[in-house]
Amino acid sequence: MKGAALALVAAVTMALGMMGGVSRAGAPDGELVVFAAGSLRAPLAEIGRQFEAREPGAPPRFVFGASGLLKDRLSAGEAAEVFASANMAHPQALAAVGRAGAVQRFTRNRLCLLARPEAGVTADNALDRLLDPAVRVGTSTPQADPSGDYTWELFRRIDGRGAAYAGAYESLDRKALKLTGGPASPPPPAGRSVYAALLEAGQADVFITYCTNALQAQQELPALQRVDLPEDVNVSADYGVALLERAGPRARRFVDFVLGPAGQAVLARHGFAPR
């Protein structure tokens, strides 16, 4: 009986091999799958085209989303070879359990305000407008998306700015509208900035997001205002990349390309800061 069971396993394994092979969670053998933060969609699409032009093989397949949700999917066993996160903590969590290798910072970002013109937000009054009860503030979702985590750190820093802002954290935590980045958040309209779409639809007056996202939304809807936050409260976002446990040589070359001059130049063109 034991011999028959072993023979059955061998037959199934051979059949899978003849079908081209499937790695964990169904990724075809030889396909370079990159899980990446949604804010990297535009630069990684360009980097992918450049990499494909230099490297033989199928083009990289990108899976974009909130980094925390992507980390959970990888922890559950989905197949990928590279994880490019909007923070360092999520790939480091995978590395701690042997699912990823060393994590390297590959670019940086920061928070900006994206505002409807009628909200009257300027660099001088940005914090006061955020705290105005009449101003609806959109955010991403903390824990699921690093953008949300950075935003709540911003709230803490505003609260600690002095007596004039005492209680700011509680007020902002209560009024923030978590419109993106969560497990139940609707996907963005095809081919559009989700932030531009949400503000255009009137679901918020101001959105706290990455400066790169704000720039992209403003290019789509020039009437939107991109407002810098005061330096003493703003939060720097460090993006980390790691090879996953099944990464092959081509995945390693892709990460090297992202870290190299060509990849860094693409990121800079899209508003990201040097690593």
Side-chain angles (χ1 to χ4, degrees), residues 4 16 79 81 97 101 107 109 114 160 200 208 222 228 254 269:
L16 286 173
E81 292 186 78
V97 295
T107 196
N109 213 336
L114 181 68
E200 185 179 40
I208 303 173
D228 290 328
F254 176 80
R269 282 199 298 274

Side-chain angles (χ1 to χ4, degrees), residues 111-116 119 121 129-142 145 147-152 154-155 171-181 185 194-196 198-199 202-210 213-214 229:
L111 296 177
C112 278
L113 302 185
L114 181 68
R116 293 165 59 93
V121 182
R129 297 300 289 149
L130 283 178
L131 288 162
D132 188 327
V135 175
R136 296 167 300 160
V137 178
T139 73
S140 194
T141 305
D145 185 6
S147 176
D149 298 326
Y150 296 131
T151 296
W152 261 252
L154 170 70
F155 294 167
S171 175
L172 291 167
D173 176 63
R174 184 173 58 251
K175 71 179 291 191
L177 304 171
K178 304 177 186 71
L179 300 177
T180 63
S185 298
V194 64
Y195 311 100
L198 288 169
L199 290 180
Q203 294 194 38
D205 302 306
V206 178
F207 211 106
I208 303 173
T209 185
Y210 298 125
N213 288 341
L229 288 158

